[in-house]
Amino acid sequence: MAEDKINPKCKVVIVGGSAGSLNALMQILPELYVLNAFALVIVLHRRGTDDMTLEELIKIKTEVPVKIIEDKEPLVPGFLYVAPSNYHLLFEKEETMSLDTSEKVNYSRPSIDVSFESAAEIYGDSLIGILLSGSNADGTEGLKTIQKAGGIIIVQDPDSADMPFMPNNAITHTTPDFILNTDEILKFIISVNS
């Protein structure tokens, strides 16, 4: 791993995923105990319901405090945030998050692209974007935007993904800074956190 590509001024690590990404997260999150300098935001494709099962599962699996995102919620380092179902997650200049009910993007709301692009606009080179397993093209355009803004982009190694289409698409259409399996993604997050 190229140490010079690890961003010491990271404010936000945003993780996107779809089918199969929960398995990857369940390997990563139990090994995260504290976030020192940044917030971790998770944007997963979900069924369009008010079901809180994902948030509850994540709370059980990590010692990092989990916050349920509400409209105009401040983004605070040290917390893990999960994008709610049936809303696009947006980031605002006041370092708050907003929820949007506009049309689905890539058949999804929340859309990974929408959240990645919004985060890139606010956090620029202090953002790290990670794209996990999935079965559609969501996330690729968002990764491009993060990289163009000076942030670091990481794609799950397709060989380690339950559904390799999403990471393969990103690798084909972007130049990731890193292509990592779940263990390597965990090590990367810990290295940024130390």
Side-chain angles (χ1 to χ4, degrees), residues 6-183:
I6 296 175
N7 194 337
K9 62 178 182 177
C10 174
K11 286 188 175 181
V12 178
V13 174
I14 187 166
V15 179
S18 186
S21 60
L22 189 57
N23 289 341
L25 284 172
M26 291 303 107
Q27 294 171 50
I28 294 166
L29 294 179
E31 303 301 321
L32 285 181
Y33 303 106
V34 64
L35 300 178
N36 295 319
F38 60 87
L40 179 62
V41 180
I42 296 173
V43 182
L44 298 187
H45 291 171
R46 313 174 57 169
R47 285 189 295 259
T49 68
D50 292 329
D51 185 10
M52 298 293 280
T53 307
L54 179 61
E55 286 85 350
E56 295 306 320
L57 178 62
I58 287 173
K59 278 184 182 178
I60 292 167
K61 291 293 184 179
T62 184
E63 293 185 25
V64 176
V66 177
K67 283 199 166 223
I68 307 303
I69 299 173
E70 297 181 12
D71 198 40
K72 306 304 179 189
E73 176 89 28
L75 188 69
V76 180
F79 288 91
L80 187 158
Y81 299 88
V82 182
S85 63
N86 221 23
Y87 293 95
H88 292 307
L89 175 63
L90 303 173
F91 297 83
E92 299 178 325
K93 287 186 174 134
E94 303 79 22
E95 297 201 16
T96 58
M97 294 170 285
S98 64
L99 301 176
D100 179 79
T101 56
S102 59
E103 291 300 310
K104 291 182 178 182
V105 176
N106 292 312
Y107 311 102
S108 303
R109 192 175 56 219
S111 160
I112 301 165
D113 278 338
V114 168
S115 295
F116 278 16
E117 289 166 1
S118 178
E121 188 177 326
I122 300 302
Y123 292 100
D125 64 359
S126 60
L127 178 67
I128 296 172
I130 302 174
L131 189 66
L132 301 176
S133 172
S135 56
N136 75 11
D138 199 14
T140 296
E141 292 304 314
L143 287 176
K144 287 181 187 175
T145 306
I146 291 171
Q147 194 168 53
K148 190 174 180 183
I152 292 172
I153 62 170
I154 298 170
V155 175
Q156 183 179 357
D157 184 339
D159 291 340
S160 74
D162 289 355
M163 294 287 183
F165 182 88
M166 187 177 277
N168 270 325
N169 187 70
I171 291 165
T172 300
H173 294 96
T174 71
T175 307
D177 295 298
F178 300 101
I179 299 170
L180 305 175
N181 64 32
T182 50
D183 286 343

